[in-house]
Amino acid sequence: MGYNAEFRRSIDHPEEFWRDQAGAINWIKAPETIWQATDNGHGDWFPDGILNTSDIALDANVRAGRGEQKALIYDSPVTGAKRSYTYNELTAEVARFAGALAARGITKGDRVVIYMPMIPEAVIAMLGCARLGAVHSVVFGGFAAHELAVRIEDARPKAVITASCGIEVAKVIEYKPLVDKAIEQSTHKPEFCVVYQRPQAQAQLHDGRDFDWTELVAGADPADPVPVNATDPLYILYTSGTTGKPKGVVRDNGGHAVALKYSMKLVYDAVPGDVFWAASDVGWVVGHSYIVYAPLFAGCTTILYEGKPVRTPDAGAFWRVVQDHNVNLLFTAPTAFRAVRKEDPEADQLQLYDTGSLRRIFLAGERLDPPTYDWLREHTQLPVLDHWWQTETGWAICCNPVGIETLATKPGSATVPSPGYNVQVVDPGGSQLPAGEQGQIAVRLPLPPGCLMTVWENDQRFQDSYLNPVPGFYSSGDGGFIDEDGYVFVMGRTDDVINVAGHRLSTGEMEEVVASHPAVAECCVVGAHDDLKGQVPLGLVLIKDGATIDHDELEEELVEMVRENIGAIACFQRALVVDRLPKTRSGKILRRVIRQIADGEAYSVPGTIDDPSILEEINDQLHQ
Ligand code: COA
Ligand code: AMP
């Protein structure tokens, strides 16, 4: 069946379609009901199915005879370590770690926050939780203590799992003091912490609360997979929204397993035994879906890379990993290749390695700019495939469906909707726009399996953020258009979310931090174009009357405050003091126009603006 037929079947007969896909995973009890709608047009997939996600990722592969195949390869240029685990070994490690958690009282439904660097123990911790039916919430290691505290407060975990440190190129970043500070800040106190001690830093353990990973696991009995309902949550992953408070995206067990297994064929055309490398971080959705779960569901070998595309040690790092581990499929964010290209414009490093195993390169996380696409195509001579997705969906909304039919690529387009996603471009009233016209990208309900069930303990926020804006649709928050051939072009967010080096951040959250400075009367933060990172935040600040602080000093303090509260990952480095902020007569700050001015784009003066001369002033200040 070609793409068109498969897509139509998924939209016209979704239950039949997803029943077939559900047949590809190992259920403890296969579902009889495929879809159950709820009042809001959303609903549950496979509501009476019973399974265990860790069983599907690990034990099922052992049962299928892949026990001696490598499941996980850890490659860490920052420490020099390389280690691999067969499916037999990874299953045993996960079962023992799950047993250790169970012995300390973790059971089905308990939340466990995981704050770890890119080491195998992070994967073992995630799968160990899944084995018990506990709900993990991984927090990216680049987030500061305050961000961790916000997540601990919201998820109310029984345990926190961490490591003594992460390693950023040559910098050792101690994690444990950040965990201690976060627990101190949060009103919710986890019962215990498990700490994996790395040789680069020794964490101090609090008596009675903190346990050494190695000691805890040494005495543990292996735990069997606990049967869970398909609709039980597997994990919560917090992502930036438009307000200061991140949203806890809740993923189920059943829909997730079915959708990700299907995606490995549809999007990546992966077969069991393939070596799959998603060069991301387990703290992001790409890491959850394509470092940990999907490659294991598909019987592949997954790579866990603790390093950067450049500086660990050079721009040949990616090609070296491909050669050393015979990587077949590589997935990363465009910014990673922009960094490589900047340091190695002629791709000389590529010539130094044998990358013959590589079949395809996949990119997502931000818009794939045509120059990066062209550079990669030209130098690798490989198919370079863009695909569009979000933390909320967990797998590609749009892709080139190479597993069923390879379509011609169009630079700048993430190609076509994946089966299951009825993607439309609509105006604010919800009317479908004609081909070529830009608007909001929305997906007609129901969403396919694998997408978010709700926002953690906040159905109202789920409803308000995603379902209410355009009735009958899931609002993606992205804008773009669909051309006459049905190709989808995603042009960027229509809200206050920005994308910095493939990392999704909220300008609203940064504004909260900046506004809390005693000298700041008012502020706004926008995402300005950056050649390497796609976007970087830019702050515009109005000082309180009578405040006499030096502008450079204020900028330094604000930069430090954002690092301290959100993390270095926010890349907040510029705060410009202005006399006034451009606003509409009703007092709304004109963020879009500020962004256009910052990017040197042509902008039209909105008719609703209070005082148009402010725009000229800001233009002069930014580009003087
Ligand atoms: N823990 C602690 N700090 C971290 C961190 C982590 N896991 N990840 C990043 N940081 C810090 C960095 O050390 C840096 O701090 P500094 O300002 O003190 O130098 C800051 O956060 C910004 O990091 P980063 O965005 O990684 O910038 P960079 O200049 O070090 O590297 C790239 C630039 C393009 C090489 C890098 O951003 C990259 O590899 N991007 C790919 C992104 C990606 O995989 N995204 C996932 C979505 S698919
Ligand atoms: P995240 O939830 O962190 O995965 O970020 C999702 C956001 O990244 C989307 O809403 C888009 O704005 C952007 N994004 C992801 N993939 C693409 C892509 N292929 N093209 C354009 N934007 C993308």
Side-chain angles (χ1 to χ4, degrees):
M1 201 191 283
Y3 164 74
N4 279 329
E6 180 137 339
F7 177 76
R8 279 282 25 119
R9 184 165 174 254
S10 76
I11 301 301
D12 297 339
H13 306 285
E15 295 191 32
E16 232 175 65
F17 181 82
W18 289 110
R19 184 187 296 278
D20 286 355
Q21 310 315 328
I25 66 162
N26 278 268
W27 296 89
I28 295 169
K29 178 186 165 293
E32 280 163 29
T33 306
I34 300 302
W35 164 253
Q36 201 162 53
T38 42
D39 291 345
N40 57 12
H42 200 55
D44 293 330
W45 287 100
F46 318 114
D48 56 359
I50 296 177
L51 75 167
N52 178 282
T53 292
S54 144
D55 175 73
I56 294 175
L58 300 170
D59 311 57
N61 282 300
V62 173
R63 291 196 295 273
R66 274 189 283 280
E68 284 307 303
Q69 181 197 310
K70 283 180 188 167
L72 177 78
I73 297 172
Y74 167 56
D75 185 306
S76 168
V78 294
T79 61
K82 279 187 195 175
R83 209 154 71 228
S84 68
Y85 298 77
T86 62
Y87 272 101
N88 280 333
E89 288 164 344
L90 193 60
T91 307
E93 294 274 348
V94 168
R96 270 205 313 149
F97 184 69
L101 287 183
R104 294 233 56 85
I106 298 289
T107 57
K108 186 176 154 202
D110 287 339
R111 272 84 57 213
V112 176
V113 161
I114 299 174
Y115 183 69
M116 291 188 101
M118 287 285 285
I119 55 176
E121 288 69 21
V123 179
I124 292 168
M126 290 166 77
L127 289 163
C129 289
R131 199 166 189 87
L132 299 177
V135 182
H136 62 68
S137 186
V138 182
V139 180
F140 175 60
F143 280 126
H146 171 72
E147 289 290 316
L148 180 58
V150 168
R151 286 153 175 80
I152 291 175
E153 190 81 57
D154 195 66
R156 290 177 291 104
K158 204 178 221 180
V160 174
I161 302 172
T162 189
S164 56
C165 66
I167 298 152
E168 271 292 294
V169 188
K171 240 181 340 188
V172 173
I173 297 176
E174 294 201 28
Y175 277 27
K176 186 59 178 18
L178 300 174
V179 171
D180 290 341
K181 195 166 160 192
I183 294 176
E184 208 178 288
Q185 279 180 22
S186 165
T187 60
H188 171 83
K189 308 292 177 197
E191 284 175 21
F192 67 98
C193 298
V194 183
V195 184
Y196 183 79
Q197 298 279 17
R198 305 186 77 185
Q200 294 78 10
Q202 193 67 20
Q204 281 219 323
L205 304 187
H206 291 235
D207 267 352
R209 191 198 71 186
D210 299 342
F211 298 90
D212 177 272
W213 171 297
T214 312
E215 287 171 16
L216 201 69
V217 167
D221 292 327
D224 285 334
V226 171
V228 301
N229 293 329
T231 52
D232 283 334
L234 168 67
Y235 68 76
I236 307 167
L237 179 57
Y238 287 87
T239 190
S240 300
T242 47
T243 67
K245 193 170 175 231
K247 290 187 274 210
V249 164
V250 180
R251 193 92 58 216
D252 62 356
N253 275 275
H256 174 254
V258 172
L260 289 199
K261 180 88 189 272
Y262 174 64
S263 76
M264 285 300 280
K265 172 76 185 138
L266 173 86
V267 185
Y268 307 100
D269 198 22
V271 292
D274 271 347
V275 179
F276 191 95
W277 180 23
S280 176
D281 189 289
V282 290
W284 306 112
V285 68
V286 174
H288 278 62
S289 292
Y290 295 105
I291 295 175
V292 183
Y293 288 111
L296 301 180
F297 292 160
C300 296
T301 301
T302 187
I303 306 263
L304 184 76
Y305 174 71
E306 189 181 26
K308 299 249 176 189
V310 293
R311 293 181 287 137
T312 58
D314 55 34
F318 274 20
W319 312 128
R320 195 271 301 160
V321 173
V322 169
Q323 169 188 278
D324 286 0
H325 307 297
N326 293 310
V327 173
N328 303 116
L329 303 158
L330 166 60
F331 172 4
T332 191
T335 191
F337 278 116
R338 285 199 297 272
V340 172
R341 180 180 170 212
K342 193 164 164 234
E343 294 205 0
D344 183 19
E346 297 308 320
D348 294 332
Q349 291 277 353
L350 179 58
Q351 309 312 320
L352 305 179
Y353 301 95
D354 175 1
T355 55
S357 58
L358 199 56
R359 297 202 300 268
R360 291 191 177 90
I361 298 175
F362 298 90
L363 296 161
E366 56 176 327
R367 187 171 145 74
L368 170 55
D369 50 299
T372 304
Y373 170 83
D374 290 338
W375 182 85
L376 255 181
R377 278 280 303 149
E378 182 196 332
H379 290 287
T380 64
Q381 297 290 310
L382 287 168
V384 174
L385 302 160
D386 186 9
H387 55 321
W388 168 56
W389 52 298
Q390 311 179 310
T391 304
E392 288 84 345
T393 66
W395 64 289
I397 311 166
C398 288
C399 68
N400 194 325
V402 290
I404 44 179
E405 181 182 350
T406 302
L407 302 178
T409 50
K410 293 193 189 188
S413 168
T415 318
V416 293
S418 303
Y421 289 98
N422 189 349
V423 178
Q424 299 188 6
V425 174
V426 298
D427 66 16
S431 304
Q432 195 173 346
L433 291 169
E437 222 170 283
Q438 277 212 38
Q440 316 258 1
I441 311 183
V443 183
R444 189 176 277 288
L445 296 173
L447 289 167
C451 297
L452 81 170
M453 300 177 75
T454 186
V455 170
W456 174 249
E457 290 189 336
N458 201 341
D459 282 338
Q460 192 56 47
R461 190 164 182 205
F462 169 67
Q463 189 80 28
D464 291 344
S465 306
Y466 302 108
L467 305 188
N468 289 349
V470 188
F473 287 86
Y474 161 82
S475 286
S476 72
D478 279 307
F481 63 94
I482 302 180
D483 75 4
E484 306 73 35
D485 301 323
Y487 278 58
V488 181
F489 290 75
V490 182
M491 305 307 289
R493 300 287 304 191
T494 55
D495 53 17
D496 296 331
V497 168
I498 59 171
N499 202 310
V500 181
H503 307 135
R504 176 168 157 181
L505 298 162
S506 156
T507 52
E509 212 170 333
M510 292 184 221
E511 284 175 5
E512 274 186 20
V513 176
V514 172
S516 69
H517 189 287
V520 171
E522 211 181 347
C523 70
C524 87
V525 175
V526 298
H529 173 80
D530 181 80
D531 282 343
L532 174 65
K533 298 189 175 179
Q535 285 184 304
V536 287
L538 163 73
L540 262 54
V541 177
L542 207 72
I543 299 185
K544 280 184 186 153
D545 285 348
T548 53
I549 188 164
D550 173 76
H551 293 185
D552 288 343
E553 208 178 295
L554 175 64
E555 184 175 57
E556 258 175 50
E557 288 179 16
L558 294 174
V559 166
E560 197 42 47
M561 280 169 70
V562 175
R563 281 179 80 91
E564 195 52 36
N565 279 277
I566 297 176
I569 199 74
C571 299
F572 182 89
Q573 266 147 15
R574 233 181 135 194
L576 192 74
V577 174
V578 293
D579 294 332
R580 296 173 294 167
L581 286 171
K583 290 187 184 169
T584 60
R585 278 182 215 106
S586 60
K588 209 167 160 239
I589 298 174
L590 292 159
R591 290 183 168 75
R592 195 172 120 88
V593 183
I594 298 173
R595 188 186 54 69
Q596 286 173 318
I597 296 175
D599 291 352
E601 285 175 13
Y603 61 92
S604 48
V605 180
T608 52
I609 191 168
D610 189 25
D611 176 1
S613 66
I614 305 177
L615 300 179
E616 284 297 319
E617 285 172 25
I618 291 182
N619 197 8
D620 290 348
Q621 267 187 283
L622 277 167
H623 300 292
Q624 68 194 357

